[in-house]
Each structure stands twice: as structure tokens, then as C-alpha cells.
């Protein structure tokens, strides 16, 4: 068979074959998640510590006035709940990208990327699998928060799902893009801290932006351009059956930009990996 014929055969897959590929990658990620129970526990410990300890301590200091989407005064723990959900997805996105770095070092990534399926579909399937895991963790957190008297409108738990899917894709694509730049697994922890904590603290996850604006105008603008802020607000409004159109546009645009960057980065001909592994001279 000629090279042109092989190229056509490699990319002429049916929809059913694409779905089989997606199912295999999602199932692989699910098995990894099931076998790493500590990953599920650790994903919940961080937001629960903020909810049960920090929120209780700051309740009297950081009460929140009436701001959209809330229609009355709310307690501090009610305000930060959407931000903690977004934090779960942020950490999960970085955790998923950590597995990509690990697979690249152990050879698992090579097995995946030599598949005849298009590179963009393999990365998109991996991204979707990680996002589904983060959605499961988010709803587990909401279940625990419900026993802490943090409740949303019943329909809000359903309208939240598209927001979780989109925000999870954005944060997962960001982690995937970052993983393409990391050469060794040992360097990942420092990069995670450099990305996660500035994104989390310079956002509306822990305090409303009007309070930030009162204390520092510069920090307010940083929070405004932070994609994590808009992921948090998208989740916050969706949980109360509303849509933040500005946040929706920002999250959607960032998702496409991060995903395109990751696909280019993992491209064997044009990506960062190819340039980094190329022989000197």
C-alpha cells in the first residue's frame, strides 16, 4: 500500500470507532481513579478544610452582602462553596496533567500517541476523561456540603452540570498545555504551585471582587483577567439557575485557546516536544 493510501486509512474512521477510542481512554482513566482512592480523598480534603475550618473562622469577618446571583445576605461558607468546587477542578486538571508527564516518562504516553487515531482526538478524549472525574468529585463535595446546610435550588444541581463540564475542560486543557512544557516529573510540583495558588487566590473564589477593589485596584484587575475567576463565577451562577454571559464567553474562549495550544504542543512535527527533543544543531 502506498504512503498516501496508508494516510487515508489512518484517518478514515467511522463515528463508532471514534467512540470506541473515547470509551477506552475514559475507562482507563476511571480505572486509574478507582485504584487511587487517596486521590479522591485528597481532592475532597482541601475544599472541606476551607469549608469547615477557615469559613467558620471568617464567618463574622467576611459576611457577604447582596450580590448576584444571591437575592439575600449569605454566610461566608455559602459564598465560597462554588469557589471550592472550582478549586477541585483546578487541582484535578493539574493532577491529570501530572499523569501525562508520568506516562511520558514511563512510556505509556508513547503507546497512546502511536495510535492511528488523530492526535487531537486522543488528547480531547484524555481531557474529557479527566473532566468527568472532576465532575464526580464536585458532586461528592456538594453532597457533603448539603449536610453542612449549604444548599442550592434543587434545579441548580442540574443546571450546574454544563458549567462544570465547560470549566473542567478549560482547567484540564490548561494543565495539558503546561504538561507539554515540563521535561521531568520532578519539576511538576514547582510548576503546579506557580500556577495553582496565584490562580486560586487572585480570583473571586474566596472573596467578592468588590472587596478586592476596595483594597487594591491593581489586584482587582488581575482578578478580572484571571480565567479561574470566570470559571468560579460560571459555576456560582449556574448553581443558582442563572448564566453569567461574560464568564461563559471567557471560559469558552480560554478552553479553545488552551486546547489548541495543547494540540499544537503535542504535535510531533510542530510541537514543543519535537523542538525540545531535536538534536542540537
Amino acid at each position: 500500500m502506498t504512503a498516501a493510501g496508508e494516510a487515508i486509512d489512518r484517518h478514515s474512521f467511522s463515528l463508532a470507532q471514534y467512540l470506541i477510542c473515547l470509551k477506552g481512554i475514559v475507562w482507563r482513566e476511571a480505572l486509574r481513579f478507582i485504584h487511587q482512592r487517596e486521590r479522591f480523598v485528597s481532592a475532597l480534603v482541601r475544599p472541606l478544610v476551607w469549608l469547615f475550618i477557615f469559613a467558620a473562622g471568617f464567618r463574622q469577618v467576611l459576611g457577604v452582602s447582596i450580590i448576584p446571583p444571591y437575592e439575600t445576605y449569605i454566610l461566608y461558607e455559602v459564598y465560597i462553596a462554588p469557589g471550592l468546587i472550582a478549586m477541585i477542578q483546578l487541582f484535578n486538571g493539574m493532577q491529570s496533567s501530572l499523569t501525562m508527564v508520568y506516562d511520558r516518562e514511563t512510556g505509556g504516553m508513547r503507546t497512546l500517541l502511536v495510535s492511528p487515531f488523530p492526535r487531537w482526538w486522543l488528547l480531547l478524549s484524555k481531557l474529557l476523561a479527566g473532566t468527568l472525574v472532576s465532575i464526580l468529585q464536585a458532586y461528592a463535595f456538594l453532597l457533603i456540603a448539603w449536610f453542612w446546610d449549604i444548599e442550592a435550588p434543587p434545579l441548580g444541581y442540574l443546571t450546574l452540570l454544563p458549567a462544570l463540564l465547560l470549566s473542567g475542560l478549560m482547567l484540564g486543557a490548561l494543565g495539558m498545555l503546561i504538561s507539554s512544557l515540563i521535561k521531568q516529573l520532578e519539576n511538576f510540583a514547582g510548576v503546579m504551585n506557580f500556577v495553582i495558588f496565584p490562580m486560586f487566590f487572585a480570583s473571586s473564589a474566596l472573596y467578592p471582587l468588590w472587596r478586592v477593589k476596595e483594597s487594591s485596584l491593581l489586584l482587582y484587575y488581575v482578578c478580572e483577567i484571571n480565567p479561574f475567576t470566570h470559571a468560579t463565577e460560571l459555576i456560582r451562577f449556574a448553581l443558582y439557575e442563572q448564566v453569567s454571559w461574560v464568564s461563559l464567553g471567557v471560559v469558552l474562549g480560554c478552553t479553545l485557546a488552551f486546547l489548541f495550544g495543547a494540540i499544537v504542543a503535542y504535535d510531533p512535527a510542530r510541537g514543543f516536544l519535537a523542538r525540545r527533543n531535536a538534536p542540537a544543531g
Side-chain angles (χ1 to χ4, degrees):
M1 182 180 293
T2 64
E6 291 180 358
I8 294 175
D9 289 339
R10 284 172 61 88
H11 296 286
S12 58
F13 297 105
S14 65
L15 177 61
Q17 290 172 319
Y18 276 105
L19 293 179
I20 291 174
C21 175
L22 174 63
K23 177 183 176 182
I25 294 177
V26 171
W27 182 246
R28 179 176 180 268
E29 190 71 17
L31 289 178
R32 171 179 284 174
F33 179 71
I34 292 174
H35 293 153
Q36 297 175 348
R37 296 181 180 88
E38 65 277 2
R39 177 180 169 186
F40 181 80
V41 174
S42 64
L44 294 179
V45 166
R46 284 184 294 264
L48 291 178
V49 167
W50 278 98
L51 184 64
F52 295 155
I53 299 179
F54 288 90
F58 290 122
R59 176 186 294 180
Q60 302 299 327
V61 179
L62 295 174
V64 180
S65 61
I66 303 176
I67 57 174
Y70 308 105
E71 298 179 353
T72 183
Y73 290 93
I74 58 173
L75 297 175
Y76 180 61
E77 55 261 39
V78 175
Y79 175 81
I80 67 170
L84 298 180
I85 295 173
M87 181 178 73
I88 292 175
Q89 294 198 302
L90 176 62
F91 274 89
N92 184 81
M94 297 302 158
Q95 187 74 23
S96 296
S97 61
L98 172 62
T99 63
M100 296 189 70
V101 178
Y102 177 79
D103 287 344
R104 197 164 67 228
E105 286 196 351
T106 59
M109 178 62 67
R110 185 180 307 168
T111 303
L112 178 65
L113 295 182
V114 296
S115 166
F117 284 92
R119 186 68 54 89
W120 65 266
W121 179 253
L122 297 173
L123 295 176
L124 183 61
S125 299
K126 171 73 174 176
L127 177 60
L128 182 59
T131 301
L132 294 178
V133 170
S134 73
I135 291 176
L136 177 63
Q137 295 171 335
Y139 276 105
F141 169 78
L142 283 173
L143 178 61
I144 299 175
W146 185 82
F147 289 101
W148 198 253
D149 293 329
I150 299 177
E151 302 179 26
L155 187 59
Y157 294 102
L158 182 60
T159 58
L160 175 65
L161 183 58
L164 289 178
L165 180 61
L166 186 56
S167 60
L169 289 174
M170 184 194 77
L171 297 172
L174 175 61
M176 186 177 293
L177 178 59
I178 293 174
S179 70
S180 69
L181 304 172
I182 299 175
K183 196 171 185 179
Q184 295 179 339
L185 189 63
E186 293 77 10
N187 301 332
F188 194 81
V191 175
M192 283 183 64
N193 292 334
F194 182 76
V195 173
I196 288 179
F197 291 109
M199 288 189 71
F200 179 64
F201 288 109
S203 71
S204 61
L206 299 179
Y207 22 73
L209 294 186
W210 66 268
R211 284 187 176 271
V212 177
K213 191 174 184 179
E214 288 181 347
S215 58
S216 172
L217 189 60
L218 176 60
L219 181 58
Y220 169 77
Y221 289 128
V222 172
C223 294
E224 279 282 3
I225 64 175
N226 183 0
F228 186 75
T229 292
H230 296 281
T232 300
E233 293 304 304
L234 185 66
I235 293 173
R236 189 188 312 281
F237 277 74
L239 191 58
Y240 289 87
E241 307 175 22
Q242 300 180 39
V243 179
S244 174
W245 294 106
V246 173
S247 296
L248 177 61
V250 172
V251 172
L252 182 59
C254 289
T255 301
L256 296 176
F258 295 153
L259 182 58
F260 176 78
I263 292 174
V264 171
Y266 277 96
D267 187 278
R270 304 188 303 271
F272 302 133
L273 298 179
R275 290 199 297 270
R276 187 169 60 227
N277 295 331

